[in-house]
């Protein structure tokens, strides 16, 4: 491709891929790919589409000794083209799946936190990147979802993400960069073949491209076919999944038991996807069924997926965050002030108006020798008002339909060592007023 063709082709290509999007933020590392993308969109803005609002966002990972120099380069590049430029510094925790995965996670989190309303993120992955992504998914033993590789237009991260260069190979980008005399950064880490992607790029794919020049296009075609199959399965299974899922987002174990062994994991995986969970491996999908769904009702089995947990209660599967343990926590409370509860559980307050609206309970006020504490676990017998006899705490929680993981997250009001109430759930016989004792309503609110 000659230089004139490269420039004309890229302009037309970008115009088509960007479509009607006008608020554009380019993820700008300063490398060849993002430099071509940013320069190409800037030329499109300056030549034929002045209504494009363009800016560049650089993620400073701090992993290279040259990171600060890269910021200076990127800033200069943008100044020369009248492009607003900003930098976001991130912390990369290599223990979270390795440096590559952790850096990628940090980048996309930074994007989500820094994009403005209606702004579309543009990233510069190209055809050879797509081939590498497909090969890495193949190495992991991924199914059609993983082999779909990268989408040219997606909203998986909560914002619209376009990859307008995904159909172009690196040689085409190099031709454009040569015509416009672009300067770019060569990341020193790209030569380190300890990283899987670099190993493929440096050691494996050059031989494949030499033997089969259209290998990258072929893998991209396979990725597209896998994506189409996934979309078809989503469409075919959506009605079943809706039937099996309730308003709280839990999934019916009984319903899953009625479908085939092939259909079941597909439904579970799509359920997890709708909940925003990390996609499980084939083995993990089977364990969700064998170890969680089919466990004894009292086993409290669970499977951890990233920072989420799959649990079962009353023949339904739930996807939950990993909660902070509050079992040993005891909070002293002066009811003259609101008590802010830990771990986002809201606050407690009292109101002398016994008819006040809210998730509360009317109980007697403490006597002179009683102090108030708030705790999050109870054992032994509970004398609940409205029952003719005491019940074990575990059985009472079960009767109230409260899942095990919520039982240690409900604030319990104690006067001295005596349980008085679980606001919104029950009061005990010991909380009843005697001889015209003053009462108040204890209100538990999750509102800020």
């Amino acid at each position: 491709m000659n230089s004139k063709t490269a420039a004309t082709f890229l302009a037309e290509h970008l115009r088509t891929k960007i479509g009607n999007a006008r608020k554009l933020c380019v993820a700008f590392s300063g490398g060849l790919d993002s430099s071509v993308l940013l320069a190409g969109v800037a030329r499109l803005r300056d030549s034929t589409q002045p209504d494009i609002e363009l800016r560049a966002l650089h993620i400073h990972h701090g992993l290279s000794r040259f990171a600060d120099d890269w910021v200076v380069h990127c800033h200069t590049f943008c100044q020369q083209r009248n492009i607003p430029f900003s930098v976001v510094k991130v912390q990369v925790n290599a223990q979270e799946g390795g440096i590559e995965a952790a850096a990628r996670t940090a980048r996309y989190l930074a994007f989500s936190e820094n994009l403005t309303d209606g702004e579309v993120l543009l990233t510069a992955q190209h055809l050879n990147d797509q081939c590498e992504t497909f090969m890495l998914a193949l190495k992991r033993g991924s199914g059609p979802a993983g082999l779909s590789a990268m989408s040219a237009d997606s909203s998986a991260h909560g914002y619209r993400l376009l990859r307008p260069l995904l159909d172009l190979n690196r040689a085409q980008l190099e031709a454009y960069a040569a015509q416009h005399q672009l300067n770019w950064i060569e990341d020193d880490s790209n030569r380190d073949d300890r990283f899987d992607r670099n190993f493929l790029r440096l050691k494996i794919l050059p031989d494949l491209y030499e033997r089969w020049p259209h290998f990258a296009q072929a893998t991209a075609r396979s990725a597209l076919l896998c994506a189409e199959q996934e979309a078809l399965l989503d469409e075919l299974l959506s009605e079943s999944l809706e039937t099996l899922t309730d308003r709280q987002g839990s999934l019916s174990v009984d319903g899953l038991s009625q479908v085939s062994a092939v259909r079941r994991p597909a439904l579970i995986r799509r359920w997890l996807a709708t909940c925003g969970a990390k996609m499980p491996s084939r083995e993990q999908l089977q364990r969700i069924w064998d170890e969680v769904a089919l466990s004894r009702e009292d086993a409290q089995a669970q499977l951890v997926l990233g920072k989420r947990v799959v649990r079962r209660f009353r023949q339904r599967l739930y996807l939950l965050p990993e909660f902070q343990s509050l079992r040993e926590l005891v909070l002293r409370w002066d009811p003259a002030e609101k008590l802010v509860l830990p771990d986002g559980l809201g606050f407690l307050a009292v109101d002398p108006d016994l008819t006040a609206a809210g998730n509360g309970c009317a109980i007697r006020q403490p006597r002179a020798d009683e102090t108030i504490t708030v705790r999050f676990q109870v054992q032994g017998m509970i004398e609940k008002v409205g029952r003719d006899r005491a019940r074990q705490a575990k059985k009472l929680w079960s009767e109230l339909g409260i899942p095990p993981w919520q039982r240690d997250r409900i604030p319990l009001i104690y006067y001295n060592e005596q349980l008085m109430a679980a606001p919104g759930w029950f009061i005990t016989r010991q909380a009843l007023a005697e001889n015209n004792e003053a009462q108040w309503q204890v209100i538990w609110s999750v509102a800020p």
Side-chain angles (χ1 to χ4, degrees):
M1 181 183 297
N2 60 46
S3 60
K4 182 177 180 180
T5 305
T8 304
F9 176 76
L10 184 63
E12 290 301 321
H13 185 84
L14 289 174
R15 182 180 292 108
T16 300
K17 294 298 181 180
I18 292 171
N20 295 326
R22 285 298 175 267
K23 291 182 65 176
L24 307 178
C25 176
V26 172
F28 184 42
S29 68
L32 168 68
D33 312 336
S34 63
S35 296
V36 169
L37 175 60
L38 185 59
V41 177
R43 288 181 66 85
L44 186 65
R45 175 200 63 185
D46 296 340
S47 60
T48 61
Q49 299 189 357
D51 56 336
I52 286 178
E53 298 179 39
L54 176 64
R55 72 181 182 103
L57 182 63
H58 178 83
I59 306 300
H60 187 305
H61 298 92
L63 297 175
S64 170
R65 66 183 187 276
F66 302 115
D68 291 335
D69 295 334
W70 296 345
V71 171
V72 174
H73 167 87
C74 292
H75 190 203
T76 301
F77 188 100
C78 291
Q79 278 186 322
Q80 293 169 347
R81 292 162 179 82
N82 193 28
I83 301 170
F85 173 74
S86 56
V87 181
V88 176
K89 291 187 176 183
V90 298
Q91 297 293 324
V92 177
N93 183 358
Q95 295 183 350
E96 295 182 359
I99 291 179
E100 290 178 289
R104 182 170 57 252
T105 298
R107 279 197 302 276
Y108 282 108
L109 178 60
F111 294 143
S112 66
E113 292 176 345
N114 287 275
L115 290 174
T116 62
D117 290 342
E119 197 169 34
V120 178
L121 179 69
L122 272 59
T123 59
Q125 292 94 344
H126 51 72
L127 186 64
N128 301 92
D129 295 325
Q130 183 78 311
C131 179
E132 293 163 9
T133 301
F134 181 91
M135 296 291 284
L136 290 170
L138 194 64
K139 183 266 295 183
R140 292 192 298 269
S142 300
L147 294 174
S148 299
M150 295 179 285
S151 172
D153 187 346
S154 71
S155 56
H157 299 281
Y159 49 82
R160 190 179 180 198
L161 168 61
L162 295 180
R163 297 183 175 96
L165 305 182
L166 209 54
D167 297 334
L168 308 182
N169 59 39
R170 181 178 173 88
Q172 291 171 296
L173 305 188
E174 289 174 341
Y176 183 90
Q179 177 190 1
H180 294 284
Q181 299 180 330
L182 300 183
N183 294 319
W184 65 85
I185 294 164
E186 290 289 356
D187 188 340
D188 52 312
S189 68
N190 287 339
R191 308 303 301 175
D192 188 347
D193 62 13
R194 292 176 300 170
F195 299 124
D196 289 345
R197 186 176 291 273
N198 289 347
F199 175 75
L200 277 175
R201 184 179 298 161
L202 300 172
K203 302 290 187 180
I204 304 300
L205 288 173
D207 288 344
L208 295 180
Y209 294 151
E210 183 178 359
R211 178 63 179 260
W212 300 299
H214 299 292
F215 185 78
Q217 288 90 334
T219 55
R221 207 159 46 243
S222 293
L224 180 60
L225 290 171
C226 288
E228 290 175 350
Q229 291 297 310
E230 276 297 288
L232 177 60
L233 284 173
D234 286 341
E235 184 178 326
L236 294 175
L237 294 175
S238 61
E239 185 175 343
S240 296
L241 185 60
E242 185 176 354
T243 300
L244 296 173
T245 308
D246 66 7
R247 292 181 179 178
Q248 287 71 45
S250 70
L251 192 64
S252 169
V253 172
D254 289 336
L256 288 172
S257 67
Q258 302 301 314
V259 304
S260 70
V262 175
R263 191 181 184 92
R264 185 182 305 126
L267 285 166
I268 295 175
R269 192 172 65 78
R270 280 159 177 77
W271 169 67
L272 293 171
T274 59
C275 298
K278 177 182 178 182
M279 282 299 94
S281 65
R282 184 183 181 88
E283 177 189 4
Q284 287 174 317
L285 279 174
Q286 192 61 46
R287 289 180 60 196
I288 289 173
W289 182 248
D290 293 339
E291 300 176 16
V292 182
L294 299 183
S295 65
R296 299 191 321 273
E297 184 64 34
D298 61 350
Q300 298 189 29
Q302 64 181 41
L303 183 77
V304 177
L305 293 176
K307 296 182 179 181
R308 313 283 283 278
V309 181
V310 180
R311 303 188 66 164
R312 191 197 71 180
F313 179 64
R314 292 187 174 177
Q315 290 302 96
R316 302 199 70 87
L317 294 176
Y318 293 81
L319 183 67
L320 307 162
E322 287 191 284
F323 295 124
Q324 173 186 341
S325 175
L326 304 176
R327 291 179 60 84
E328 304 303 320
L329 189 63
V330 178
L331 304 175
R332 294 185 64 88
W333 182 24
D334 176 0
E337 303 288 341
K338 290 181 179 179
L339 177 66
V340 178
L341 300 173
D343 208 26
L345 290 177
F347 64 86
L348 291 175
V350 296
D351 193 327
D353 182 1
L354 302 183
T355 64
N359 187 28
C361 57
I363 61 175
R364 67 176 177 83
Q365 296 184 20
R367 295 162 187 155
D369 60 345
E370 292 177 326
T371 59
I372 307 176
T373 58
V374 176
R375 310 178 191 187
F376 296 89
Q377 69 164 325
V378 59
Q379 297 175 340
M381 307 297 286
I382 297 177
E383 297 182 84
K384 176 181 176 294
V385 169
R387 293 192 59 89
D388 57 356
R389 56 191 176 88
R391 296 284 283 168
Q392 289 185 351
K394 182 178 179 180
K395 291 185 177 180
L396 180 57
W397 288 133
S398 181
E399 288 178 5
L400 293 171
I402 300 175
W405 57 86
Q406 290 184 1
R407 296 172 189 176
D408 297 334
R409 297 179 62 78
I410 295 175
L412 304 169
I413 311 301
Y414 278 76
Y415 292 174
N416 292 344
E417 295 302 312
Q418 178 61 56
L419 174 64
M420 294 286 114
W425 291 104
F426 65 80
I427 66 173
T428 66
R429 183 181 58 80
Q430 292 79 9
L432 295 175
E434 298 178 358
N435 301 321
N436 296 319
E437 286 182 302
Q439 300 180 68
W440 56 22
Q441 183 169 204
V442 180
I443 299 173
W444 176 22
S445 176
V446 296

